Amino acid sequence: MYERYYSLREKPFALAPDPAYLYLSHHHRHALTMLEYAISQAAGFAVITGEVGCGKTTVVQRFLEAAPQALSIGFLTHIHAGIGPLLPWVVQSLGMDAGSAASSELHRHFTTFLERKFTEGCRALLVIDEAQNLSIGALEELRVLSNLNAGKDLLLQTILVGQPELRTTLSWPEMRQFAQRIVVDYHLRALELEETHAYVAHRLSVAGGDPALITPTAVERVHECTEGVPRLVNIVCDTALVYGFADQRPFVDVELIEQVLSDRAAGVLPLKTSGPIAAASALGG
């Protein structure tokens, strides 16, 4: 809708994870480096957590784009407690046909598959998104699978990506055997104010637009109301661009941001609608 008006090739604040738009904040850069380290060291488990909307999936997708070719990668998402045994889903994600084999037979086929991949110089990597939904039984399955090895080399590496609840589960006493196999454990945090400025400018630039299209004061208000959560930043900025187009504004200022927040004040988004900048704006400051 507003793309042509603001000389944008595409929407800069779309919600779908897109590695091309990844802004490497301090924490996102560290998370990416830790994933690269985990793979280079053939670590058993790597865990990446963060609040909803902090960019966990985008970081992992960027990592997978640049992952070594000598990796056979399986990706699981939409995990839930009622999914049943995990092994059939794991083998399918890695390109095997689970068929109707019994659990023990499927385990044997999977072991053979991993051994063959290893002799071909290819390691298997399993990535599970929304891993906070894994049951204790499913986590135990993963722990058992992590025992598969060829001498001193692990046949299967696993990256778990999830919300903070995953860290809580893994800290339970009954999970200590699992926790001891986690080599990389990193928690993504929201953006700081300076990072939010850079994030907004980065996404506008990637979309082919003017990085100053949203004024510095407007970005400060966006940071204030979203507390630096990237997904919320995207929602507010995208809506502000729609409002700006509707009013034929040449740029997005703090007044437009306040209009967005006022209209969404009674909505379900966890936006902080009051704060120093909001108060100054209300007083004409």
Side-chain angles (χ1 to χ4, degrees):
M1 175 182 289
Y2 56 71
E3 293 95 313
R4 180 177 297 179
Y5 179 73
Y6 286 120
S7 301
L8 296 161
R9 289 192 303 270
E10 56 191 358
K11 292 175 64 175
F13 300 104
L15 294 184
D18 186 345
Y21 278 88
L22 177 63
Y23 167 70
L24 289 175
S25 73
H26 172 79
H27 292 290
H28 290 79
R29 186 179 297 109
H30 278 205
L32 189 59
T33 301
M34 293 303 288
L35 287 174
E36 293 167 350
Y37 173 78
I39 295 304
S40 69
Q41 298 300 307
F45 287 99
V47 175
I48 302 293
T49 57
E51 295 290 347
V52 175
C54 276
K56 304 179 295 294
T57 301
T58 308
V59 166
V60 172
Q61 288 182 347
R62 168 67 73 87
F63 161 75
L64 293 177
E65 278 189 346
Q69 291 187 347
L71 279 177
S72 179
I73 300 171
F75 193 90
L76 284 178
T77 189
H78 306 304
I79 297 295
H80 56 85
I83 201 171
L86 195 61
L87 183 57
W89 299 98
V90 171
V91 301
Q92 287 181 23
S93 74
L94 285 164
M96 288 181 60
D97 181 10
S100 58
S103 178
S104 58
E105 186 69 8
L106 185 59
H107 189 277
R108 186 177 68 81
H109 286 322
F110 185 52
T111 302
T112 301
F113 168 81
L114 294 180
E115 290 173 340
R116 185 177 72 253
K117 286 290 184 182
F118 183 77
T119 59
E120 294 171 353
C122 183
R123 286 182 290 137
L125 172 66
L126 174 65
V127 181
I128 301 181
D129 201 6
E130 301 297 340
Q132 74 277 355
N133 295 325
L134 289 168
S135 66
I136 296 297
L139 288 168
E140 178 60 17
E141 273 193 81
L142 289 175
R143 186 190 68 80
V144 172
L145 291 176
S146 74
N147 290 328
L148 298 174
N149 60 76
K152 64 178 182 179
D153 297 303
L154 295 176
L155 295 178
L156 177 67
Q157 292 180 261
T158 303
I159 297 173
L160 300 180
V161 185
Q163 296 169 26
E165 295 88 337
L166 175 61
R167 299 172 69 86
T168 301
T169 300
L170 295 175
S171 67
W172 291 347
E174 59 266 40
M175 297 303 299
R176 63 185 181 277
Q177 289 190 62
F178 191 107
Q180 290 173 1
R181 297 166 191 255
I182 299 172
V183 176
V184 167
D185 175 14
Y186 195 83
H187 185 70
L188 270 176
R189 302 186 186 280
L191 302 172
E192 300 292 339
L193 175 57
E194 289 184 3
E195 292 174 331
T196 301
H197 279 282
Y199 174 85
V200 170
H202 170 76
R203 294 189 73 102
L204 288 168
S205 296
V206 172
D210 180 357
L213 177 58
I214 302 177
T215 68
T217 307
V219 175
E220 287 181 34
R221 183 66 180 111
V222 170
H223 176 82
E224 185 179 69
C225 72
T226 63
E227 299 184 314
V229 175
R231 186 177 297 164
L232 296 180
V233 171
N234 286 1
I235 291 172
V236 174
C237 288
D238 182 66
T239 307
L241 288 170
V242 175
Y243 280 34
F245 169 70
D247 292 344
Q248 297 292 283
R249 300 281 193 93
F251 51 82
V252 172
D253 58 13
V254 71
E255 181 185 359
L256 270 177
I257 300 298
E258 292 298 349
Q259 288 182 27
V260 172
L261 298 180
S262 176
D263 290 347
R264 303 199 71 153
V268 297
L269 282 179
L271 298 174
K272 183 179 178 183
T273 55
S274 62
I277 297 173
S281 178
L283 294 171

